[in-house]
Amino acid sequence: MDEDRQSEIRGAFDAAAADFAALGRYLWESIGAAAVAVAAPGPGERVLAACCGTGASAMPSARLVGHDGLVDAVDTSGPMIDQLRRLAADLPQLRAHRADVTTWAAKGYDVVQSALGIFFFPDMTAGTDHLISRARPGGRAVFTIWRGESMAAAGRHLGRAIAEATNTPPPAPRPPHLVDQVNQAGSYADWLTERGLVDVDVTELDATTLIGSGRRAT
Ligand SMILES: C[S@@+](CC[C@H](N)C(=O)[O-])C[C@H]1O[C@@H](n2cnc3c(N)ncnc32)[C@H](O)[C@@H]1O
């Protein structure tokens, strides 16, 4: 993925931060809660919440690890991190960082999780491998992606509707992406297994979302 596309994605999330938190109740929070139920962080554990946005999965994880645990919540978008700091003011065990998580240095986490984030990495495979390497041996990794065409189709319809309403040309189709090849339960499980995870499992959350999980080999 080129640098222009990366800065386009960053700009979109910076601009969306306030609406993103408001949308959470209807969209991100239920997906985040389901992903956290799979990751199941326990009291005192250390969690890396990658691509945390405004905290739909980072905050429930912070509640579960409690005051003796730690959640490092990482996002490249400053406005997302600002919102998260405001929303998580009563969760001192959650530390929000503005950073590129594909170069995050700390490691040894009990849980590494990313809800709807890994397909934004410039190299989805290398970025996900880096996240897995941040887990301790035997630690859990939980990565949520859109299932099938669910979000791509919604984006296309929205783009066409906006173009029609504003009398502007419809947006160019999104270029092909690795996620298009691994967005079904079986292919996603295979791809996660290729990443070196063991005990891989994929939970289908309704028609829209896949929650992939596994443990880093010991
Ligand atoms: C769709 S949002 C998901 C947010 C959150 N996990 C949730 O479920 O509400 C994707 C997030 O990934 C972040 N992101 C994309 N690439 C990133 C990277 N390399 N490092 C950290 N965050 C990244 C974006 O800024 C955005 O906030």
Side-chain angles (χ1 to χ4, degrees):
M1 199 185 294
D2 61 28
E3 186 48 40
D4 284 354
R5 176 79 183 131
Q6 275 296 289
S7 62
E8 191 187 322
I9 290 171
R10 228 177 355 253
F13 281 114
D14 285 353
D19 292 337
F20 199 87
L23 255 181
R25 199 175 324 143
Y26 308 101
L27 195 54
W28 321 120
E29 283 174 18
S30 58
I31 295 173
V36 172
V38 171
E45 287 199 313
R46 297 176 66 225
V47 176
L48 175 61
C51 311
C52 60
T54 54
S57 50
M59 288 200 291
S61 287
R63 291 189 192 101
L64 290 171
V65 300
H67 288 286
D68 294 335
L70 167 74
V71 175
D72 278 323
V74 183
D75 201 287
T76 39
S77 166
M80 291 280 192
I81 289 296
D82 290 345
Q83 289 274 348
L84 175 56
R85 287 192 179 128
R86 191 176 55 74
L87 294 167
D90 61 338
L91 295 169
Q93 66 273 37
L94 187 156
R95 295 188 199 149
H97 312 266
R98 180 185 181 187
D100 179 350
V101 79
T102 63
T103 55
W104 187 252
K107 57 184 179 179
Y109 293 94
D110 301 293
V111 174
V112 174
Q113 64 189 36
S114 175
L116 305 173
I118 58 172
F119 40 75
F120 290 115
F121 295 156
D123 180 335
M124 179 171 149
T125 300
T128 303
D129 286 347
H130 181 74
L131 293 190
I132 293 168
S133 76
R134 303 300 88 189
R136 64 168 170 77
R140 286 102 73 202
V142 179
F143 305 126
T144 301
I145 62 170
W146 296 115
R147 181 179 178 199
E149 275 278 275
S150 54
M151 191 40 85
R156 271 199 306 277
H157 289 305
L158 184 63
R160 279 195 213 118
I162 291 172
E164 214 174 290
T166 57
N167 205 18
T168 51
R174 173 174 70 68
H177 190 285
L178 169 64
V179 78
D180 304 326
Q181 295 161 37
V182 299
N183 62 16
Q184 299 295 335
S187 52
Y188 191 36
D190 290 346
W191 183 77
L192 290 172
T193 303
E194 284 164 22
R195 310 272 61 73
L197 292 175
V198 295
D199 297 339
V200 167
D201 189 43
V202 174
T203 303
E204 301 187 16
L205 178 68
D206 60 50
T208 61
T209 312
L210 297 176
I211 304 172
S213 62
R215 281 187 307 104
R216 188 178 164 195
T218 46

